[in-house]
Amino acid sequence: MAVFARLISSRFMRSVLRTAVPLVVVLVAVMVVGAVMAPDGRGATYRLLVNFLITVVIVVALQMFTGNSGIVSWGHAAFVGIGAYSTAWFSVPMVIKEDIFPGLPAWMMGAEWGLVPCLLVSTAIGALAAAVVGLAICRMKETAMAMSTLGLLVIAHGIYSNWEGWTRGTEGVYALPTNTTIYIACGFACLAVLLAVMFKYSRVGLRLQASREDPLSAESTGVSVVRARYFAWVASAAMSALAGSLWAQFNLAFGPAQFYYAQVFAILSMLVIGGLATVSGALVGAGITTVIFEVLRGVENEGNLFGIEVPQISGLAQMILALITLLILIFRPNGLLAWWELDGWIVKARDRFWKGGRKLAPDAGEKGGE
Amino acid sequence: MPAEQGQGPAAVVQSSETAADGTLSAREVVKHFRGVHALDGVSLTLQPGEIVGLIGPNGSGKTTLLNVLSGIYPPTSGRVWCRGRDVTTRKPHVIAHLGVGRTFQNIRLFSHLTVRQNVEVGSVSGRKVEGVDHQADVDRLLDRFSLSGSAEAQALSLPYGAQRRVEIARALAGRPLFLLLDEPAAGMNEAESDQLLETIMGVRKDFGCGVLIVDHDLRLIMRLCERIHVLAEGVTLATGTPQEVRADRQVIDVFLGDALKDDV
Amino acid sequence: MSASEIGQQLINVLSLGSTYALLALGLALVFGVMGLVNFAYGELVTITGYTMYLMTINGVPWGLAVVCGITFATIASLLMERLAFRPLRNASFLTLLFASFALSVILQNVFRATVSPRTKGIRGPGLLIESLQIGPLTISWMSIVTIVVGAAALILLTLFMRGSLAGISMRAAAENFSVARLMGIKANRVIALAFVISGLLAGVAGVLWVSRSGSVSPAMGFVPILKAFIATVIGGLGSLPGAVLGGFVLAAAEIFFIVVLPTSVQPFSDPFALLLVIAILYFKPNGLLAPVAERV
Ligand SMILES: Nc1ncnc2c1ncn2[C@@H]1O[C@H](COP(=O)(O)OP(=O)(O)OP(=O)(O)O)[C@@H](O)[C@H]1O
Ligand SMILES: [Mg+2]
């Protein structure tokens, strides 16, 4: 009990709670909206909100690695894919599985598991794959790592598209059971946020951020940069695989194209728009991007913007999103939230409001250049 | 191997064989960069508790020697020993764990982390010592270097002098037995450099670590160091007490010249 | 495998490798002068392809279409620098990479919207699909042209980089940009020049690429940028000879797996080549010809 009290009062836990609580509140609010608007768990809004919550898990997972290490990963979509495919192997009804996954060994053929075992096994497979790949990737220089993660994406896509007996190639997979509800999605989004915040404030997280700022002086300060990167790589890949499993058990049918270029771009945009360095940024970016995408997809498919007719343009949503990302990079290169979590911004706003902006925010100093 | 002739108050004359245990030493280190002979067989030993100055004209290999000692560059030949271990090809973080801390000629802080986080990285990643209270240590260091007021500011927002102090605090947070300082007085005026002198003296007294300091500020070096090592074009020109070095004809000719005569 | 088969495959490696080498050089040059891995570089290849496509279907002779294709890629490269990358001049590696990635997506969608979302066929001069018989070797004219063009471009570029003042300053900048700045090399001029040459190389490689594949599509730039990126990294990002070497190593790895893998696993030849590349990087984390160590 005393240990617990000490933990709660430690600087670490205080920081974690201060940052995580506002984010969890936002996520729960999203869930409440969904649950109230669609109590039967149907409809476009419900689907949108659940997919948003799952997207949060994906973006937060990527933030854990890329945000703290400063190394871009194109490869995380591959881990989302691993989560989705392994969920399919263990959950699709046997009669269909014999048809679409003829290559599976007998013991997997029979498996028709529920939500939790599927999540566990997908996360484990994702973590294992990342642990193996990471041995090579995490030793490289930053630029080579970026290239290798891109290579990883291409390799994974090649496997998903061609490994007929296990993935059904480009035709894709179907008939997964619906297990992910808005409550489950929200629960995991909150868990992901909490873990990512804890990671950021942990010792490994701190070391990794130091290596992001200056790998060489981090090394000289005693940071094993490779080890810090490896840890984050495996953890964030495992979280991505978990998200993939959640996603598969909600969207029920998918193919290799779902884990490729367009998705990678969408996820990276979310991170860039909100700001790489913070977990809050990942969440804000996911929210903004989801809204933009929804509005523009309406335009694209129906040629209709708030009731005004506009000409139909293919790929418009993606183009606008890319343009916004580019503008953010030029005019606010660290993203909307830059270096401060939501709680930091709340404190700043409060100080400016009540103290007429005279006093510096206790958090992180306002004169810090951006 | 030339015997080190350290004669300052804290230095004890030792042969390099017995010195191997508690010291940081470079032995016959050679470092070439594509034909540039940055170091050409330099040997230097640093004992815990002594302050050694490393001086030489621009491009004489001072920074390179620090980089080799801290594991950033592998030497072309020669060895580096730290506390009885051959660390010649080890990575910088391994050497840091053995108790070597350093600063950089061009300040290299973790720019977007707070000052506190900068020092904290040092504390949680440096030499392992049982039962350290990292938070208390960090607080003490921030206090000692007058950084408590800006502890939560991003490192890059600090003025130059404060950034130098953060860098030293970060290095000390790792509980080093050897501290390598690359031109800590660069850009400082006389008053600031006097203050730096006090700081380094205090650090030696309280932390007991050996300090190897590179600087062009000879006034500072002469007052601070028990022993001075002079490099020129990658070779050792002279080593000895400040008095000896000051008297060395070669040193006067090649490097010190007028600067010293003024000072004496 | 018989000697003639080996010879045949060597020619394939040379021809594929010289295309990759050209692509990689263009990417490495720009990286050298401003630390940018230009993801939108692949779209320069697409621009060449579309220029040639639009001109040839409108009856413009092939030769003129080629010249225009290369010219447009060069202009586009310069425009990219002005509009997207100049405002980001001192940004971090990551910011620059993201920016070029976003630019690449923008351009792909512009192609989609303005030309066509679908793949279009493009027919080159008939000669290119014919072959030449030299002893036991059957060599397509396409390979010969590719090797000759690649070699010519490499030689010209080497002469330029070693012989002209502009080239020498660009090499100095590529090797150590901060030093180059100290030496007073005009950053704007050097960077613009790097983008021009990079655009030229993409244009030339684009012509070869399109002639070989015989088709153009909005997202076709992904494969060339991927190959160029891989080649520059295996060669050692920042090293120009490394980029060329990386191009040939990548080509050799790809052809090797195409040759040795049985038909049933043929679709996995590219993933295998990539794995091999990652394995190379495991042993040489800085690439084969790593540039000089970072100055501390
Ligand atoms: N990474 C590197 N690559 C190539 N040459 C280098 C590198 N680092 C140092 N050099 C060269 O090695 C020589 C010694 O440089 P070093 O930085 O050690 O000198 P220094 O004594 O610290 O000089 P200063 O007083 O100017 O700091 C110089 O000629 C320098 O140009
Ligand atoms: Mg120096």
Side-chain angles (χ1 to χ4, degrees):
Chain A
M1 207 53 219
V3 175
F4 185 70
R6 256 228 314 279
L7 187 68
I8 287 290
S9 67
S10 70
R11 186 188 290 272
F12 170 71
M13 273 320 273
R14 262 184 293 144
S15 309
V16 167
L17 290 178
R18 259 210 308 243
T19 300
V21 167
L23 302 182
V24 167
V25 168
V26 171
L27 292 171
V28 171
V30 168
M31 180 195 79
V32 170
V33 169
V36 169
M37 284 181 69
D40 57 347
R42 283 168 209 276
T45 313
Y46 182 82
R47 296 197 61 77
L48 179 67
L49 293 179
V50 175
N51 274 322
F52 165 72
L53 290 169
I54 299 171
T55 305
V56 167
V57 183
I58 299 178
V59 185
V60 162
L62 184 59
Q63 193 279 333
M64 246 170 99
F65 179 72
T66 293
N68 291 309
S69 71
I71 295 164
V72 62
S73 169
W74 276 286
H76 274 59
F79 294 112
V80 177
I82 287 180
Y85 278 106
S86 38
T87 301
W89 296 333
F90 290 99
S91 69
V92 168
M94 187 164 147
V95 276
I96 299 175
K97 225 190 276 183
E98 282 173 334
D99 184 32
I100 64 176
F101 296 145
L104 290 187
W107 67 276
M108 283 169 76
M109 250 340 153
E112 292 182 14
W113 297 355
L115 175 76
V116 175
C118 278
L119 289 178
L120 287 177
V121 77
S122 321
T123 312
I125 295 177
L128 194 69
V132 173
V133 177
L135 286 179
I137 287 189
C138 292
R139 282 185 71 232
M140 295 173 191
K141 260 184 78 140
E142 299 77 21
T143 43
M145 273 178 93
M147 188 287 282
S148 298
T149 61
L150 184 63
L152 186 64
L153 180 74
V154 174
I155 293 174
H157 185 73
I159 293 175
Y160 299 154
S161 310
N162 292 301
W163 199 17
E164 292 288 344
W166 288 64
T167 64
R168 202 158 168 258
T170 44
E171 285 186 70
V173 175
Y174 63 96
L176 282 86
T178 314
N179 289 328
T180 306
T181 64
I182 198 164
Y183 303 105
I184 288 166
C186 178
F188 279 101
C190 293
L191 182 69
V193 162
L194 189 67
L195 288 176
V197 171
M198 285 174 69
F199 177 74
K200 186 182 158 186
Y201 293 129
S202 71
R203 280 188 196 174
V204 195
L206 183 63
R207 292 188 187 121
L208 192 60
Q209 291 171 73
S211 80
R212 171 191 72 202
E213 297 295 320
D214 187 338
L216 200 136
S217 84
E219 271 279 337
S220 307
T221 312
V223 175
S224 167
V225 175
V226 172
R227 193 180 304 167
R229 284 177 181 166
Y230 187 68
F231 186 93
W233 170 260
V234 176
S236 92
M239 196 187 276
S240 301
L242 175 96
S245 179
L246 284 170
W247 181 88
Q249 295 181 71
F250 184 71
N251 291 290
L252 316 185
F254 57 84
Q258 244 97 30
F259 314 107
Y260 210 38
Y261 207 68
Q263 279 60 36
V264 173
F265 175 70
I267 301 295
L268 281 175
S269 296
M270 296 181 192
L271 211 48
V272 168
I273 290 175
L276 280 165
T278 59
V279 182
S280 314
L283 192 98
V284 169
I288 291 177
T289 310
T290 304
V291 171
I292 295 175
F293 248 133
E294 264 330 284
V295 172
L296 290 176
R297 240 201 301 259
V299 179
E300 196 174 315
N301 296 338
E302 288 131 38
N304 181 322
L305 177 61
F306 307 122
I308 309 162
E309 288 291 314
V310 291
Q312 216 170 316
I313 301 178
S314 162
L316 182 76
Q318 216 186 31
M319 181 155 76
I320 303 270
L321 186 63
L323 201 58
I324 292 174
T325 307
L326 187 58
L327 291 176
I328 290 263
L329 283 168
I330 291 176
F331 294 106
R332 206 173 158 79
N334 300 313
L336 293 176
L337 296 197
W339 306 100
W340 297 279
E341 297 281 355
L342 217 49
D343 58 305
W345 286 100
I346 293 172
V347 170
K348 276 181 157 202
R350 192 188 61 199
D351 287 1
R352 199 158 292 167
F353 189 71
W354 270 303
K355 296 169 190 163
R358 268 181 299 120
K359 191 175 171 295
L360 285 182
D363 179 78
E366 291 192 352
K367 57 184 164 162
E370 271 155 35
Chain B
M1 187 159 304
E4 298 286 356
Q5 289 300 314
Q7 281 168 7
V12 184
V13 184
Q14 279 177 318
S15 86
S16 52
E17 296 310 315
T18 55
D21 286 326
T23 65
L24 174 67
S25 64
R27 300 190 181 169
E28 294 296 330
V29 164
V30 174
K31 179 70 191 175
H32 295 177
F33 296 102
R34 283 192 182 169
V36 177
H37 294 208
L39 292 175
D40 243 340
V42 174
S43 297
L44 179 150
T45 298
L46 182 64
Q47 318 258 358
E50 70 171 337
I51 302 182
V52 176
L54 181 60
I55 58 176
N58 289 111
S60 56
K62 307 179 293 291
T63 300
T64 305
L65 183 57
L66 253 54
N67 286 338
V68 169
L69 282 172
S70 57
I72 285 175
Y73 296 150
T76 309
S77 73
R79 323 269 350 145
V80 177
W81 288 75
C82 182
R83 297 166 63 203
R85 253 168 277 202
D86 185 344
V87 294
T88 313
T89 53
R90 306 313 299 270
K91 288 191 137 193
H93 75 262
V94 177
I95 295 177
H97 287 171
L98 284 173
V100 179
R102 68 166 295 174
T103 66
F104 294 89
Q105 183 166 355
N106 312 303
I107 306 178
R108 299 183 74 135
L109 292 174
F110 308 131
S111 308
H112 295 104
L113 301 189
T114 64
V115 170
R116 164 182 292 283
Q117 285 175 319
N118 267 274
V119 180
E120 205 174 336
V121 173
S123 184
V124 300
S125 313
R127 188 166 64 94
K128 303 254 178 318
V129 173
E130 284 294 310
V132 184
D133 181 346
H134 294 290
Q135 293 305 332
D137 272 10
V138 170
D139 285 332
R140 258 200 304 278
L141 275 167
L142 289 176
D143 205 41
R144 182 186 191 105
F145 286 91
S146 328
L147 293 164
S148 303
S150 41
E152 301 303 325
Q154 281 184 322
L156 53 65
S157 70
L158 263 54
Y160 180 81
Q163 290 197 13
R164 283 245 173 255
R165 295 203 302 276
V166 177
E167 220 187 15
I168 299 178
R170 176 180 74 184
L172 281 173
R175 298 164 293 278
L177 301 169
F178 308 100
L179 183 62
L180 316 180
L181 303 175
D182 201 348
E183 305 204 7
M188 288 187 174
N189 59 30
E190 219 164 274
E192 286 169 324
S193 113
D194 283 348
Q195 204 182 353
L196 181 73
L197 185 136
E198 295 299 320
T199 308
I200 295 172
M201 289 290 198
V203 161
R204 190 249 303 265
K205 185 159 142 282
D206 298 346
F207 295 80
C209 51
V211 180
L212 180 64
I213 173 170
V214 174
D215 215 291
H216 290 291
D217 181 349
L218 292 177
R219 207 179 60 99
L220 174 77
I221 295 286
M222 292 292 169
R223 290 198 297 162
L224 185 63
C225 303
E226 283 102 37
R227 202 151 59 77
I228 293 176
H229 194 109
V230 188
L231 282 184
E233 292 178 0
V235 296
T236 302
L237 199 62
T239 71
T241 62
Q243 291 75 23
E244 288 167 354
V245 167
R246 216 190 293 233
D248 192 305
R249 271 251 59 92
Q250 252 187 316
V251 175
I252 295 172
D253 288 350
V254 174
F255 167 54
L256 299 174
D258 306 331
L260 255 192
K261 282 176 209 133
D262 288 353
D263 200 47
V264 176
Chain C
M1 208 189 319
S2 71
S4 74
E5 269 177 80
I6 291 178
Q8 195 85 52
Q9 297 305 342
L10 273 180
I11 294 194
N12 287 343
V13 169
L14 277 183
S15 127
L16 190 62
S18 47
T19 314
Y20 289 173
L22 292 184
L23 285 167
L25 262 179
L27 195 69
L29 256 180
V30 166
F31 178 82
V33 294
M34 69 176 287
L36 157 72
V37 172
N38 185 5
F39 223 84
Y41 181 67
E43 274 56 53
L44 298 175
V45 171
T46 316
I47 286 175
T48 307
Y50 272 129
T51 309
M52 286 164 59
Y53 164 72
L54 291 174
M55 294 185 103
T56 48
I57 57 167
N58 288 308
V60 177
W62 177 260
L64 184 59
V66 165
V67 172
C68 289
I70 297 174
T71 312
F72 283 7
T74 311
I75 294 172
S77 180
L78 199 58
L79 282 178
M80 273 182 194
E81 194 272 322
R82 275 295 155 89
L83 299 179
F85 300 128
R86 190 165 290 186
L88 289 167
R89 187 60 66 76
N90 291 315
S92 67
F93 172 74
L94 201 64
T95 304
L96 285 165
L97 187 61
F98 282 144
S100 65
F101 188 32
L103 184 61
S104 147
V105 172
I106 294 175
L107 288 173
Q108 288 184 8
N109 284 300
V110 168
F111 301 141
R112 222 166 255 147
T114 55
V115 188
S116 162
R118 273 189 299 278
T119 303
K120 296 285 181 188
I122 178 169
R123 201 174 302 125
L127 177 66
L128 289 183
I129 33 179
E130 282 165 25
S131 303
L132 194 67
Q133 194 73 31
I134 305 177
L137 299 181
T138 317
I139 306 171
S140 71
W141 275 103
M142 185 69 229
S143 298
I144 296 174
V145 170
T146 306
I147 295 171
V148 169
V149 170
L154 289 184
I155 290 169
L156 281 177
L157 190 68
T158 311
L159 289 180
F160 174 76
M161 296 297 272
R162 292 186 184 276
S164 73
L165 186 61
I168 290 168
S169 44
M170 200 149 54
R171 262 195 326 147
E175 254 150 41
N176 194 329
F177 196 55
S178 49
V179 168
R181 214 170 332 196
L182 284 182
M183 295 187 331
I185 294 169
K186 290 254 164 44
N188 276 349
R189 288 239 315 272
V190 171
I191 291 178
L193 186 63
F195 271 88
V196 166
I197 298 180
S198 164
L200 267 173
L201 287 166
V204 173
V207 171
L208 297 173
W209 195 273
V210 171
S211 312
R212 179 190 292 267
S213 73
S215 66
V216 286
S217 66
M220 66 176 280
F222 180 64
V223 181
I225 176 65
L226 179 70
K227 306 294 184 193
F229 195 6
I230 297 170
T232 46
V233 170
I234 348 177
L237 202 49
S239 154
L240 299 182
V244 176
L245 177 65
F248 284 103
V249 169
L250 177 62
E254 288 183 356
I255 303 262
F256 174 76
F257 282 110
I258 289 176
V259 172
V260 300
L261 288 182
T263 344
S264 59
V265 280
Q266 213 33 259
F268 295 107
S269 65
D270 264 17
F272 270 113
L274 271 171
L275 276 180
L276 183 70
V277 163
I278 293 180
I280 293 179
L281 288 171
Y282 181 78
F283 294 105
K284 301 221 59 149
N286 295 328
L288 296 171
L289 301 183
V292 273
E294 181 192 3
R295 203 172 276 246
V296 181

